Amino acid sequence: MLLHIPHSSDRIPAHLRAALLLSDDELRAELLALTDAHTDTLFTLGVRPATPVIFPVSRLVVDPERFIDDSREPMAGKGMGVVYVRTADGRPLRTAPTAAQREQLLAAYYHPHHRRLTELVGLELAHLGRCLIIDCHSFPSRPLPYEEDQSPDRPDICIGTDSFHTPYALTAHLVAALESSGFSVALNRPFAGALVPAGYYRADTRVRSIMIEINRRLYMDERTGERTARFTRIAQLLGRLLTDLQRRAE
């Protein structure tokens, strides 16, 4: 099982800071809004064995879950394609990079991340004949301005699926387990889909993927970004659920 964790980092490399048009205070606020804070620990604390694949820099540098081709990426219309040029509320984030600058960013961060993910999927397939990807995210308890789904009624957990790569039985089991633990669950709302490396996408049913998005109100103070007392309980619950999913995938 691979734990894909794309948005947990708030790191902006020093040599890229000057390209961002925000003040330090504005940047801190933007990172607080858009970072899936603590998911690198939340999803890995109680899961053995599993391989985490963690993107090393902030999505404000490059977003590894966007299509490179802006014509295929719905969020590009909001200035939040693979390289963001707008903030979550539509303000300028950076001057649009040149083609060369854009390629430098992709070469430094996006392509190595996806090569590693693809290689790990290939290893799982070679060793086990199958691979399960858990696409690990969190989301704010109140919709951010850029989000398509502006309903204030947000579930505790959002499960994202792909019609080709997410078996119904996997989804049904996960939803039932979460609901039996007392959580409200929604399918593909407020976010939809589940990441699969491009080389396997819609081509290999042995690669299965499901997205789990945790409402941040469950484990952190959204005003400060600090973990709350419930963090460990939520992490332990996730560990049990993911370990069970792993056993069922065997």
Side-chain angles (χ1 to χ4, degrees), residues 156-157 171-185 233 237 240-241 244 248:
D156 293 327
I157 313 287
T171 304
H173 173 75
L174 183 56
V175 170
L178 287 165
E179 289 181 340
S180 69
S181 297
F183 297 103
S184 61
V185 183
R233 174 177 172 266
L237 172 67
R240 291 194 297 271
L241 291 174
D244 184 50
R248 288 173 175 272

Side-chain angles (χ1 to χ4, degrees), residues 33-200:
L34 287 178
T35 302
D36 291 352
H38 312 298
T39 51
D40 53 340
T41 305
L42 190 70
F43 282 90
T44 62
L45 192 62
V47 185
R48 299 290 186 275
T51 303
V53 186
I54 303 172
F55 194 58
V57 296
S58 169
R59 65 195 294 188
L60 299 185
V61 176
V62 171
D63 192 332
E65 291 228 333
R66 301 289 199 246
F67 288 113
I68 291 177
D69 182 353
D70 282 346
S71 68
R72 299 180 61 200
E73 177 51 61
M75 294 308 298
K78 295 180 180 286
M80 300 177 77
V82 66
V83 179
Y84 295 5
V85 295
R86 294 281 172 179
T87 63
D89 60 1
R91 290 172 294 125
L93 174 67
R94 58 155 63 84
T95 303
T98 65
Q101 290 169 336
R102 187 178 191 272
E103 188 50 45
Q104 286 173 352
L105 290 172
L106 296 178
Y109 303 107
Y110 187 99
H111 295 314
H113 178 77
H114 280 273
R115 278 196 300 270
R116 179 165 183 260
L117 181 60
T118 299
E119 289 168 0
L120 288 170
V121 170
L123 288 173
E124 293 271 305
L125 293 177
H127 293 162
L128 302 173
R130 62 195 173 276
C131 180
L132 174 61
I133 301 170
I134 308 296
D135 199 17
C136 307
H137 294 263
S138 69
F139 63 98
S141 59
R142 296 181 180 180
L144 295 173
Y146 81 92
E147 295 176 15
E148 294 292 334
D149 187 335
Q150 288 291 308
S151 171
D153 180 23
R154 309 200 114 182
D156 293 327
I157 313 287
C158 163
I159 301 299
T161 63
D162 179 271
S163 60
F164 188 92
H165 291 281
T166 312
Y168 172 77
L170 181 68
T171 304
H173 173 75
L174 183 56
V175 170
L178 287 165
E179 289 181 340
S180 69
S181 297
F183 297 103
S184 61
V185 183
L187 286 180
N188 294 308
R189 187 185 69 81
F191 300 98
L195 182 132
V196 173
Y200 295 100

Side-chain angles (χ1 to χ4, degrees), residues 207-223:
V207 180
R208 288 166 285 179
S209 182
I210 193 164
M211 179 173 70
I212 303 177
E213 296 240 10
I214 310 294
N215 195 313
R216 293 175 193 163
R217 69 190 175 209
L218 295 180
Y219 72 88
M220 64 178 271
D221 183 331
E222 294 179 81
R223 297 167 301 172

